[in-house]
Amino acid sequence: MLSRVAERVYWMARYLERAEKTARLINVHTALLMDLPGRMEINWFTLIRLFNAEKVFSEHYERGNEANIMQFLIADTNNPSSLATSLANVRENVRTSLDVLPEEIWEQANQIHLLMTNSLPRISDRYSRQIFLREVMKHCQCIRGALDSNMSRDHSFDFMQIGKHLERTDMTSRILEMTSLLLSDDRSDTLRKYDGILWTNLLQALSARQMYLQHIHSRVEGQRVMRFLMNDNVFPGSVGYSLAAMGRRMRYLPDPEMPTAMAQRVLEHSQAQDVGAIPAEQVHTLMDYLQSELGMLHTEIAKTWFYPDRNGQQQSQGL
Amino acid sequence: MKKEWNQYDPGSLYDELIAAVHQPREASYKLVEYLRHLTPDRFRQCVQESEAVIREMGITFTVYSDAGNIDRAWPFDIIPRIIPATEWDRTEIGLKQRIRALNMFIQDIYNGGKILKDGVMPADIVLQSKGYRQACIGMTPPHSVWANICGSDLVRHSDGVLYVLEDNLRVPSGVAYMLENRNITKRVLPEIFNTLPIRPVSNYPAQLYEMLASLRPDLDDPTIALMTPGIYNSAYFEHAFLAQQAGLVLLEGADLVVGNDNYVYMKTIKGLERVDVIYRRIDDDFIDPEVFREDSMLGVPGIMRAWKEGKVAIANAPGCGVADDKVIYAYVPDMIRYYLGEEPSLPNVPTYVCRREQDREYVLEHLAELVVKPANESGGYGMLVGPHSTPEKVEEFRKLIQEDPNNYIAQPTLSLSVTPTSCETDTEADVHRRADDPKSRIKIAPRHVDLRPFILSGKDIFVTPGGLTRVALVEGSLVVNSSQGGGSKDTWIVGDVVEGEEV
């Protein structure tokens, strides 16, 4: 397959994953804040910190209130991680790789684009926003479903899987990074009071609650949630699972040695520590490390398959 | 919609569906009856449904503007245009005859020019054609066919006859819209399909693939690519759609390299892989900066070398645009007689070639009645439409023709046929009525149409049943281009209905 097409389907999958996870995160966070008292360490701005977007946000907005933050995360095309940006990129990457994708993907991408255009004026209203975010998630799942059921397990599919898992790991690590707030010894008493709700919420943001309850057979509790999301072997949203799946997919591709070795190294490092037992600041460091390693892994993937003749200097899309 | 159809009156114009007021043509009878019996509500619902389908299916075309390139939804009218099968069969024969002669002409021009030596046409009109490529002299492409994909524009005059207006031989576009128009109609008017024998169009992508594969008869399973100038091209949607439907590799010039062995390769994740046939959707001026325009960023250096050595087939063959020229067009009937020894079965629009003294005198005397076209422009640029012009403009063209007669042809102003088209009413009376009766907003009105069938030539010749009908949505307008207020319609070739039989 063409290197250029490989790059496009890879990014298509990344943006699709990013869009779905962003929509879910906003939805879950909104529901959470309805349960929490007003002044707390966890508020609307937590979402901005999660995306490491403090700087871009402050360049465009004065106040970190709900309306501005929702505008920024959903509609603002200055924000490279906003839903609008992600979905526009999904559509653009589908548009330029129609020849390798099942036909209905293009129709789905258009539907989601129309939904976006029609709904943007109403996102300041919580009620319409919740409906809209649910629709976005549903469409993303439709696209994934059509890909899963109708696409040959060819290299296009491999690149999509790699893109999806890489993005998913990145998103999980960002959310886990925020847990340093929940684990911190000097967190407020109010926050302590809501521990249970917060951890449950975190599981929901990663669509992990039911599987956690099923497989861990325990009440929702910080250490166990951390271990589940970091190390679980069978839950497809865990860091360990995603990294391993990525490595397996890479081995189907030509000349996979370098990226595979790198994915293996990240996997081993992420599993080496018992994430449930380390102090808050070490969780933070570990997640930082993970995110920078994922960035390098992407560069390696691009160098190997997208720009073999240009030493991976060029990064045409994304962050 | 009975009221709307009862009021429909094409006047003195030839109408594709209606023979006279209240009287549909035989092939259109069932369609018109069906549409008459829809309530205005239901009809409006169908129109809205078609618009929704177009947005969902992402059927767009790109418009260039100062504000950047915008993807616009494809303008579509849900009332199909119908051509009886018997008439179409004759037209198809004429189109095949024409493309055979055109291909023999191009082959001849680059290989000795017998037709010029025999004095059938003057040599310098070939040399002045913008599409003439010195680099192609001596070449014989597979099956001696140069124009593998041709889109000929047909128009019907008030005499009821279909004339060929021009032959688009470079990179004709529109076939994706022909296919999508049928898909939309099937979703919007599904019931009507059971009552009429409408010829299917969906076979085109498979025929396209067959034709392209036939350009490498030496290979069992050639790798075939569609080369696009990229996503900013106005026809990008069509490129992606055809690649998807026909199973071609969609690529750009930057994805290709010519190796030291003069084969063409594409850059894949496994390294370089050979490409055997290229369906190029880029003008031949841009395909090889080594041979043609040096500044081309879209092309592939060395690809002409590969083509000349027969290591890659290119459709349409470089240089085939030589016959896509307004002056050469005037000689196509002569070509048919010369190469095939047959009379042309599809007429040209009568054409005055200003280089001939007698023609020129006539043209200068009748300028205000004629359409004047420069030889090498396309898309309606640099034209004079006498009856719709000003005396100043007519005088300007008189000067142009006298200064450079070789560059101009003239044709009588045709009265293009019309067909019933749904329009939003906007007359004063309707505006008043609209307030209390929203149902009166849609009316059926006559609008001018043309037709672009597509002809594939490789080992065999294939003609699409029908083609793309373009319609001028503005009242009285003859401009059918989608960028200038034109729309399109599904085109049905309808056979005889056997009574009492479900199709």
Side-chain angles (χ1 to χ4, degrees), chain B residues 17-264:
Chain B
L17 299 194
I18 308 286
V21 179
H22 297 305
Q23 199 189 321
R25 293 182 189 282
E26 201 186 329
S28 319
Y29 185 79
K30 286 211 167 177
L31 173 69
V32 174
E33 272 309 290
Y34 177 81
L35 293 172
R36 265 172 59 85
H37 284 90
L38 292 180
T39 64
D41 264 351
R42 176 79 185 101
F43 185 78
R44 187 150 1 102
Q45 215 183 337
C46 292
V47 172
Q48 283 162 357
E49 166 86 8
S50 77
E51 286 162 2
V53 168
I54 286 165
R55 282 194 298 268
E56 253 178 43
M57 305 210 301
I59 310 170
T60 61
F61 67 101
T62 313
V63 178
Y64 300 92
S65 77
D66 297 336
N69 302 320
I70 315 151
D71 267 352
R72 284 223 201 126
W74 177 243
F76 174 77
D77 183 71
I78 66 167
I79 306 174
R81 180 251 189 102
I82 289 182
I83 298 172
T86 43
E87 180 187 16
W88 184 253
D89 291 338
R90 289 196 305 274
T91 309
E92 188 178 316
I93 290 169
L95 289 167
K96 285 183 172 170
Q97 178 194 51
R98 200 171 167 94
I99 197 66
R100 270 165 53 222
L102 281 164
N103 274 313
M104 290 170 86
F105 168 73
I106 305 169
Q107 173 69 14
D108 185 14
I109 287 307
Y110 292 118
N111 292 278
K114 208 163 157 297
I115 192 171
L116 308 176
K117 286 174 188 149
D118 288 343
V120 178
M121 66 166 84
D124 60 319
I125 67 166
V126 171
L127 298 177
Q128 80 169 19
S129 167
K130 218 182 194 169
Y132 179 71
R133 300 274 179 267
Q134 202 106 43
C136 298
I137 293 173
M139 262 303 287
T140 296
H143 314 293
S144 304
V145 169
W146 294 68
N148 306 104
I149 299 123
C150 169
S152 291
D153 287 347
L154 306 181
V155 292
R156 197 193 295 280
H157 186 45
S158 49
D159 57 6
V161 176
L162 279 176
Y163 292 86
V164 181
L165 187 63
E166 59 185 48
D167 306 287
N168 296 287
L169 301 174
R170 296 164 212 230
V171 280
S173 61
V175 75
Y177 301 110
M178 173 192 85
L179 295 166
E180 289 286 46
N181 286 353
R182 179 61 54 85
N183 290 335
I184 302 166
T185 312
K186 282 183 174 172
R187 276 173 70 162
V188 177
L189 302 170
E191 295 90 357
I192 187 82
F193 279 85
N194 291 331
T195 62
L196 280 174
I198 303 163
R199 292 199 185 159
V201 295
S202 56
N203 203 24
Y204 181 82
Q207 293 286 351
L208 175 66
Y209 190 94
E210 279 300 304
M211 183 280 287
L212 292 168
S214 84
L215 302 184
R216 289 303 298 269
D218 51 324
L219 301 176
D220 281 339
D221 187 16
T223 299
I224 308 175
L226 188 153
M227 181 176 168
T228 169
I231 56 167
Y232 297 111
N233 186 271
S234 60
Y236 181 79
F237 167 78
E238 173 159 301
H239 305 162
F241 179 85
L242 287 176
Q244 180 194 51
Q245 298 290 316
L248 313 174
V249 182
L250 179 64
L251 46 70
E252 297 172 24
D255 296 316
L256 294 173
V257 283
V258 176
N260 293 330
D261 53 4
N262 284 345
Y263 280 101
V264 179

Side-chain angles (χ1 to χ4, degrees), chain A residues 1-4 6 8 92 95-96 98-99 101 103 106-107 110-111 114 155 159 253-254 305 309, chain B residues 55-58 71 187 231 236-237 240 243-245 248-252 255 266-270:
Chain A
M1 79 182 293
L2 288 177
S3 296
R4 191 174 41 77
R8 286 188 172 151
E92 199 52 28
R95 191 165 96 92
T96 48
L98 288 186
D99 52 330
L101 299 175
E103 283 178 74
W106 176 230
E107 231 171 289
N110 286 314
Q111 281 174 4
L114 291 170
H155 288 328
F159 278 110
L253 296 169
W305 292 300
D309 46 348
Chain B
R55 282 194 298 268
E56 253 178 43
M57 305 210 301
D71 267 352
R187 276 173 70 162
I231 56 167
Y236 181 79
F237 167 78
Q244 180 194 51
Q245 298 290 316
L248 313 174
V249 182
L250 179 64
L251 46 70
E252 297 172 24
D255 296 316
M266 55 183 179
K267 300 171 192 166
T268 79
I269 56 164
K270 288 181 190 150

